[in-house]
Amino acid sequence: MMRTKVPPVACVGEPRLTAGFAEFGRLDLLAHEEVHGPIGPMEPGNLLRLAEAIQLKGKGGAGFPLHRKLKAVLESCERQNLSAVVVVNASEGEPASWKDKVLLTRAPHLILDGAALAAYALDAEEIVIGLADDVVGRDSLTEALQERRMPVPTSIVTVPHRFISGEGGALVNGINGLPHIPPGTKKRSSDSGVGGLPTLLSNAETYAQLAVAARLGPYEYAALGTDEEPGTLLLTVTGAAKRPAVVECAAGTPLREILDLCEVPDSPGILMGGYHGKWITQDAANRAEVSRKGLTKVGGTLGAGIIVPIGDDTCPLGEAAQVVRYLAGESAGQCGPCRMGLPDLARSLDLAVSGSAPVEVVRAAAGNVKGRGACSHPDGTARFALSAMEVFAEDLRLHTTGEGCGKRTRGVMGLPGAPDADPQKLTLDWSRCDGHGLCAHVVPDFIRLDSNGYPAFPPTPVPTWLKEGAMKAVKVCPELALRLAKAE
């Protein structure tokens, strides 16, 4: 079951975004002003210079410089003689991420401060805040809006709690009353976003960081962090951590310090950046610094600030396969790489884990989707799968030789509904099967026909998102050769 309780919060060094949490818990407007002090509006040029001086990049994963977004929206408004819209992406669709929900539930006024700064500088006509339909943080945000006066009308829009709903284009589509999926073609929201107007779109932490920087100024803001990445950041640490938490730390903090704080045991692999991120080894984690540059140096990525270590008591490749199946099921399904490529990648990884296919099959399936999707979802999924093949190479060798690693897949990656409460696998009675091939037509994402025209599928449990198709395949088999059995 998906968690709806916000995890504890910790801080390494000086708190900024999390300032006042220990004293007040949730900061209402009075507590917020007592902790952070007053803030006034900023002219466009001043806000641009501030965002550029502190090198503020989007905290949602892509890391696009905020000052470039601001500049693009300003230029688009002037060129088209249109007003702007400010959008706060607080949907946080990835189940492993909790940092934006922490801000929503405990420091909502920081988010609203940042959005108000942007709206004033852009002379925007409205602010829209996108929240997931798990409603975590909605009451806190609604209360904060009632406590203050925003510079322009501000509304909350609810989006489905799906991985793909957090993609910027999908959020804009949802606000515009369209399906909550990325647009079929890539376009810039700074040119045409909500209601066709130039739109500034960034995530909740980014706006909160802007509010902190506006109070401190660029020099004091840069007193923490590194020269290239000033300030602090929020991290969500889950997985095998004995003390899972959302942690604020300065950029450049040793990753080892964060892992020790959350009591993370030595791990065969640590996922950095979330489900679109990359795995790193324990040795790499011991050398890494928490920053975009520091994590890239050891083969990882900061992404949306998600850290998911796994323990020695679970099968790492089985965990990775569960995530790829989930990501394949969470796609928009509107382009070939998502409709066919991601299920193929999930199936290939299942085959490799079961010892039925070499790693080259996974690499080929990943290569077929990279750079070809309507959004970054196929690329991120391929990156995740390929890094798992690299970091867990020894486990892969054991699986492909038929020995296996000897560990159960415990489902520690934070997936909704994982592990499957009722895992089932397909079985085939070869004495009955005549190779009609109907099953492969019903559920081609899991069953294929071999060179002799007979069904072939991995011996692993059927992914939850393909169970309905598997049951249909069992029903249409004219020889009653296909069955669903309980997976051990």
Side-chain angles (χ1 to χ4, degrees), residues 6 23 52 62 68 86 97 146 178 219 283 318 321 347 363 382 394 397 404 447 454 470 485:
V6 179
E23 296 84 359
E52 185 172 11
R68 290 173 58 184
V86 172
S97 183
Q146 292 170 347
L178 300 172
Y219 298 108
D283 177 65
R347 180 172 48 248
R363 293 197 180 105
E394 177 57 22
R397 184 190 67 79
I447 303 174
Y454 286 91

Side-chain angles (χ1 to χ4, degrees), residues 181-206:
I181 60 175
T185 57
K186 295 179 180 179
K187 61 180 182 179
R188 296 168 56 184
S189 61
S190 58
D191 290 330
S192 178
V194 174
L197 298 176
T199 299
L200 178 69
L201 170 65
S202 201
N203 93 308
E205 186 192 345
T206 311

Side-chain angles (χ1 to χ4, degrees), residues 167-448:
E167 195 271 342
L171 178 57
V172 169
N173 272 351
I175 295 171
N176 285 334
L178 300 172
H180 295 267
I181 60 175
T185 57
K186 295 179 180 179
K187 61 180 182 179
R188 296 168 56 184
S189 61
S190 58
D191 290 330
S192 178
V194 174
L197 298 176
T199 299
L200 178 69
L201 170 65
S202 201
N203 93 308
E205 186 192 345
T206 311
Y207 286 105
Q209 292 282 4
L210 186 64
V212 168
R215 288 178 167 94
L216 296 178
Y219 298 108
E220 189 175 348
Y221 185 88
L224 298 180
T226 67
D227 290 342
E228 295 175 319
E229 299 177 48
T232 66
L233 47 86
L234 292 178
L235 304 168
T236 306
V237 186
T238 59
K242 294 179 182 178
R243 296 179 61 190
V246 170
V247 182
E248 182 179 16
C249 69
T253 300
L255 176 57
R256 183 71 261 170
E257 195 170 340
I258 306 299
L259 300 179
D260 289 343
L261 176 68
C262 296
E263 297 184 11
V264 174
D266 284 348
S267 173
I270 301 172
L271 178 64
M272 301 300 305
Y275 300 159
H276 277 180
K278 299 175 73 175
W279 294 91
I280 62 173
T281 64
Q282 181 70 60
D283 177 65
N286 291 338
R287 295 182 283 112
E289 291 184 348
V290 180
S291 66
R292 296 185 187 279
K293 182 178 180 181
L295 290 168
T296 300
K297 188 176 180 180
V298 298
T301 180
L302 179 61
I306 300 166
I307 302 175
V308 188
I310 59 171
D312 279 325
D313 59 346
T314 189
C315 171
L317 290 173
E319 298 287 350
Q322 280 193 342
V323 173
V324 174
R325 290 179 213 143
Y326 164 78
L327 292 174
E330 286 291 292
S331 80
Q334 63 179 340
C335 64
C338 275
R339 287 179 63 87
M340 302 177 65
L342 292 187
D344 186 53
L345 178 57
R347 180 172 48 248
S348 299
L349 189 52
D350 277 337
L351 289 170
V353 173
S354 69
S356 303
V359 66
E360 286 73 22
V361 173
V362 180
R363 293 197 180 105
N368 287 337
V369 301
K370 286 175 65 177
R372 299 176 56 203
C375 68
S376 61
H377 188 57
D379 285 353
T381 306
R383 179 168 55 246
F384 171 92
L386 290 174
S387 73
M389 299 297 98
E390 295 172 5
V391 170
F392 305 122
E394 177 57 22
D395 292 88
L396 186 62
R397 184 190 67 79
L398 292 174
H399 281 269
T400 54
T401 58
E403 301 174 40
C405 65
K407 302 172 185 175
R408 287 182 54 201
T409 302
R410 297 184 176 274
V412 301
M413 299 297 295
L415 293 170
D420 191 345
D422 183 28
Q424 294 178 299
K425 64 180 181 179
L426 284 172
T427 62
L428 188 67
D429 184 344
W430 288 102
S431 66
R432 287 178 173 269
C433 181
D434 281 343
H436 292 281
L438 290 177
C439 56
H441 289 287
V442 172
V443 59
D445 293 339
F446 196 72
I447 303 174
R448 284 189 172 182

